Amino acid sequence: MTISPTIQQWLQILSLWGWIWIIPILERLFPLKGQKFVRKGMINDLIHTYHRVHLWTMLNAALITWLAIYAQENLGQGPFLRGGLIGAHWAISFIAILLFGHVTFYGAHYLSHKVPMLWQFHRVHHSSLTLDSFSTSRFHIIDKTLFAGPFLLLITYFQPDPEMAFLFVCFNDFWGRYGHGNIKDAHWLGYFMSNPKFHRWHHSNHPEAIDKNFSAEFNFLDWIFGTAYYPKGKVPDNFGIPEYSNNIIVQHYQPFVDCYKIAKKDGWIGLFRKPKNNNTNSLEAKRD
Ligand SMILES: [Zn+2]
Ligand SMILES: [Zn+2]
């Protein structure tokens, strides 16, 4: 399938500038909970958003498309299904890309909660005390790379239609913002998709929801592996890590400091495995 250059340009504009400001309007029109528009850490998150525009959205869309084209031109088909998606119908390519994205995100996200070293980088994303679409982009760049790396490898290996890869990145960008938005939608949607209510439980500090709801878009892996938590008639209201800095510069060096503290306290193995009894470890207490 060929996407016209005009549609591609519109999708790029929406990814770069559109959703960032359209979704906050939806948040005002259909709020899940009463929340202030201006809140603590908002400037920091806007810096993350636009730093993300440069370092992530553009790079991601461009890199994935380029990788897919490069792989098709230079790698071609080979043993072990290499290039298996070359020439596939666009719908097959799109479903495969969705699956690649979903499985790699779920796996990377699960590990980033379970491996102490990875959690130090991922907890930047969990540090916001308020959940709204602006908080979507609050990510450490190493954390973001961990989420993207396996997906890029699969795209390069199987070489699906580059235009479908581009469409997926645009959809991913929209849904990421929507899923973090303070938006009320149909409860049933959360049984299929990581909608705002579903993802809010992932960010909440409620003990029953810790390490639940890892999905990004479709959430069937959470339901299959028993990590879904989606009660009817309840909305979480306790998010974030109050003691964490709201300064993007601190947020980028703090994980290294925290890793050093863990290594000093529990040894290098402590970076890869949680100690059996670590109730006193303040860096990990919220996840245990
Ligand atoms: Zn998480
Ligand atoms: Zn999130």
Side-chain angles (χ1 to χ4, degrees):
M1 191 174 80
T2 310
I3 309 167
S4 79
T6 315
I7 292 178
Q8 286 195 33
Q9 275 172 1
W10 268 107
L11 287 172
Q12 265 172 338
I13 289 168
L14 281 170
S15 280
L16 292 174
W17 308 108
W19 306 131
I20 291 166
W21 297 103
I22 291 171
I23 291 177
I25 296 172
L26 294 180
E27 290 180 296
R28 305 325 293 170
L29 292 175
F30 312 104
L32 187 58
K33 281 220 157 177
Q35 273 183 200
K36 286 184 177 148
F37 179 72
V38 178
R39 44 92 176 161
K40 205 177 171 196
M42 187 177 167
I43 301 289
N44 173 73
D45 289 351
L46 279 173
I47 298 171
H48 267 289
T49 303
Y50 283 99
H51 135 92
R52 175 177 175 273
V53 165
H54 298 297
L55 285 179
W56 180 244
T57 306
M58 280 200 290
L59 261 186
N60 196 21
L63 186 66
I64 290 171
T65 311
W66 178 81
L67 266 178
I69 294 169
Y70 178 86
Q72 287 203 348
E73 285 176 354
N74 295 283
L75 295 181
Q77 286 170 312
F80 304 108
L81 289 176
R82 195 183 81 209
L85 287 170
I86 293 177
H89 189 275
W90 64 265
I92 304 280
S93 261
F94 194 73
I95 290 168
I97 292 166
L98 267 179
L99 276 175
F100 293 162
H102 188 66
V103 170
T104 54
F105 186 93
Y106 183 92
H109 199 179
Y110 182 87
L111 288 175
S112 72
H113 277 249
K114 298 293 183 185
V115 178
M117 178 174 70
L118 300 181
W119 168 243
Q120 302 318 311
F121 293 93
H122 186 58
R123 74 202 286 259
V124 172
H125 181 62
H126 281 261
S127 63
S128 181
L129 300 180
T130 307
L131 211 67
D132 57 19
S133 63
F134 289 125
S135 67
T136 313
S137 311
R138 185 186 284 224
F139 264 108
H140 195 287
I141 194 77
I142 288 182
D143 191 34
K144 203 76 194 170
T145 307
L146 171 81
F147 281 66
F151 176 65
L152 292 178
L153 279 177
L154 287 176
I155 292 287
T156 312
Y157 190 82
F158 289 103
Q159 303 165 56
D161 185 344
E163 294 198 337
M164 291 302 110
F166 170 77
L167 270 188
F168 172 74
V169 175
C170 295
F171 171 65
N172 182 273
D173 187 70
F174 163 74
W175 198 265
R177 298 204 157 271
Y178 179 79
H180 285 87
N182 175 38
I183 298 170
K184 189 175 180 160
D185 58 12
H187 183 79
W188 59 262
L189 190 61
Y191 293 113
F192 303 95
M193 308 281 294
S194 179
N195 70 344
K197 214 200 292 184
F198 190 87
H199 195 61
R200 277 187 166 232
W201 283 109
H202 176 70
H203 277 264
S204 81
N205 292 326
H206 297 250
E208 66 274 27
I210 298 293
D211 290 352
K212 295 280 194 279
N213 301 5
F214 292 108
S215 300
E217 301 98 20
F218 296 96
N219 57 15
F220 60 90
L221 286 182
D222 274 315
W223 294 106
I224 290 172
F225 291 118
T227 51
Y229 183 76
Y230 193 55
K232 204 167 182 183
K234 272 168 76 183
V235 180
D237 53 9
N238 181 357
F239 308 103
I241 306 168
E243 66 274 19
Y244 215 85
S245 170
N246 272 315
N247 180 321
I248 186 170
I249 296 168
V250 179
Q251 286 170 354
H252 272 81
Y253 73 70
Q254 189 64 44
F256 295 101
V257 175
D258 292 339
C259 281
Y260 175 73
K261 283 182 188 166
I262 290 175
K264 212 170 152 194
K265 183 173 172 288
D266 300 322
W268 291 107
I269 196 74
L271 290 173
F272 301 96
R273 203 178 58 197
K274 290 182 188 180
K276 283 214 164 58
N277 184 5
N278 64 346
N279 289 339
T280 53
N281 185 343
S282 63
L283 294 176
E284 292 302 312
K286 279 190 180 304
R287 295 290 117 185
D288 288 332

